[in-house]
Amino acid sequence: MRRLTAETRLHPAELILPMFVREGASEPQPIASMPGVVQHSLDSLKRAATEAAEAGVGGVMLFGVPETRDAVGSAATDPEGILNVATRALADEVGDALVVQTDLCLDEFTDHGHCGVLDARGHVDNDATLVRYQEMALAQARAGSQLLGLSGMMDGQVAAVRDTLDANGFTDIVILAYAAKYASGFYGPFREAVDSQLSGDRRAYQQDPANRREGLREARLDLDEGADILMVKPALSYLDVLSDVAQLSDVPVWAYQVSGEYAMVEAAAANGWIDRDRIIEETLVAARRAGADAVMTYWATEVAGWLR
């Protein structure tokens, strides 16, 4: 009877798996704060993506961990940079079975860890950063990315990237706009996952956790600029914002179940304090119930296996 009358359901195609690939790695490198998640080598990345495709997962989102960083994140636009190499590999391996997606942000590639280029005062230069994002967009599109995840929270990033893609013939590339991305403490384990060089925080360009209406304002701006999908991040602690954006939007809305959410559940389960599988499913259902059309989650392949 519960199954028959359930208002919200999960499906493998509604799950997206974030994946980290480390330049120079010969085997997967465990991430201490995210048990079960690794920095992949190219070989293990392809195996994990194939497993995700076979489970019916809807897509994979790639994050690169380069060996060398500089002030402008040069490795992000190098055709032989790790993210672009990995994108080509997965486009060939699984590009016809799921959506190969790439994170379009500079933070993994800069020696200061910020999401953009810094000016002489050490502040993020929004307009100079947009030029780098345009260059990244072309590099990732040429590598075979089917969806670009604009996660940097720069003003005007969607319009800048859309204009560049269209002008260069990449009219079919999907833009996922991180519209409501909050300056959250839940990102901590992710910093380890990408070996972030950040000192300080990103409150100058990510949103204040106290502000609900601001999330709607940012979503409207991205819709006006031509976003194909909107993202709310994090998921569990921003379900009100997720619901607001879902009611506003006429394009799909996704939620990112971030590293801190994953780490808390795994840590509590390891101590025997919670029923791990039940909590995982409940948090995913909560995001879907609040209005997410799909959820980015580190449990994507595992949960897809349960659902099948």
Side-chain angles (χ1 to χ4, degrees):
M1 183 62 72
R2 283 182 177 272
R3 182 180 64 184
L4 178 64
T5 58
E7 299 174 19
T8 305
R9 304 179 193 278
L10 296 175
H11 188 279
E14 299 162 352
L15 305 175
I16 300 106
L17 177 66
M19 306 179 79
F20 306 101
V21 57
R22 187 179 188 94
E23 187 172 18
S26 58
E27 59 185 21
Q29 306 293 313
I31 300 168
S33 57
M34 299 177 69
V37 180
V38 301
Q39 295 174 335
H40 283 286
S41 67
L42 281 172
D43 287 341
S44 70
L45 182 79
K46 289 189 286 187
R47 290 194 298 270
T50 298
E51 182 183 2
E54 291 173 347
V57 167
V60 293
M61 175 65 77
L62 299 181
F63 297 87
V65 185
E67 288 185 323
T68 304
R69 296 174 168 89
D70 62 22
V72 297
S74 298
T77 47
D78 182 352
E80 299 307 313
I82 183 58
L83 181 56
N84 297 319
V85 169
T87 302
R88 288 197 296 273
L90 289 199
D92 290 341
E93 191 82 9
V94 296
D96 59 347
L98 48 68
V99 181
V100 175
Q101 311 169 28
T102 45
D103 179 60
L104 198 158
C105 190
L106 286 171
D107 60 318
E108 299 107 289
F109 301 96
T110 56
D111 56 11
H112 46 74
H114 277 288
C115 297
V117 178
L118 303 185
D119 62 20
R121 301 173 299 164
H123 299 166
V124 172
D125 185 327
N126 191 99
D127 291 351
T129 299
L130 294 183
V131 175
R132 292 294 292 138
Y133 285 4
Q134 290 174 316
E135 295 166 347
M136 285 184 72
L138 291 179
Q140 292 179 3
R142 288 167 179 154
S145 178
Q146 299 160 310
L147 180 152
L148 308 183
L150 277 59
S151 62
M153 289 299 289
M154 296 297 120
D155 293 339
Q157 62 183 12
V158 173
V161 168
R162 182 79 273 162
D163 288 348
T164 293
L165 291 173
D166 289 354
N168 285 273
F170 294 108
T171 55
D172 293 335
I173 303 295
V174 174
I175 291 181
L176 164 63
Y178 284 57
K181 181 178 179 181
Y182 285 83
S184 172
F186 283 98
Y187 303 148
F190 180 90
R191 305 280 165 83
E192 179 191 354
V194 297
D195 191 21
S196 174
Q197 306 300 299
L198 181 66
S199 176
D201 58 55
R202 298 177 178 140
R203 294 181 184 179
Y205 44 96
Q206 293 178 355
Q207 292 173 244
D208 184 346
N211 293 352
R212 178 174 179 174
R213 291 192 301 273
E214 185 182 5
L216 278 175
R217 177 176 181 274
E218 293 289 341
R220 289 190 187 97
L221 289 170
D222 285 346
L223 285 172
D224 289 343
E225 291 179 23
D228 300 300
I229 304 172
L230 301 180
M231 174 71 83
V232 175
K233 178 181 180 183
L236 191 60
S237 50
Y238 295 89
L239 294 179
D240 56 337
V241 178
L242 175 58
S243 178
D244 290 345
V245 173
Q247 292 181 52
L248 164 78
S249 178
D250 57 358
V251 303
V253 175
W254 293 0
Y256 195 150
Q257 191 177 55
V258 299
S259 60
E261 298 174 65
Y262 176 92
M264 287 194 306
V265 172
E266 292 291 351
N271 280 282
W273 297 334
I274 60 172
D275 181 330
R276 175 185 179 273
D277 294 0
R278 184 176 176 183
I279 292 295
I280 291 171
E281 184 174 5
E282 188 173 336
T283 57
L284 289 169
V285 167
R288 289 278 291 114
R289 190 185 66 240
D293 297 291
V295 183
M296 198 176 297
T297 174
Y298 298 97
W299 290 301
T301 302
E302 180 181 1
V303 173
W306 301 348
L307 298 174
R308 289 170 71 89

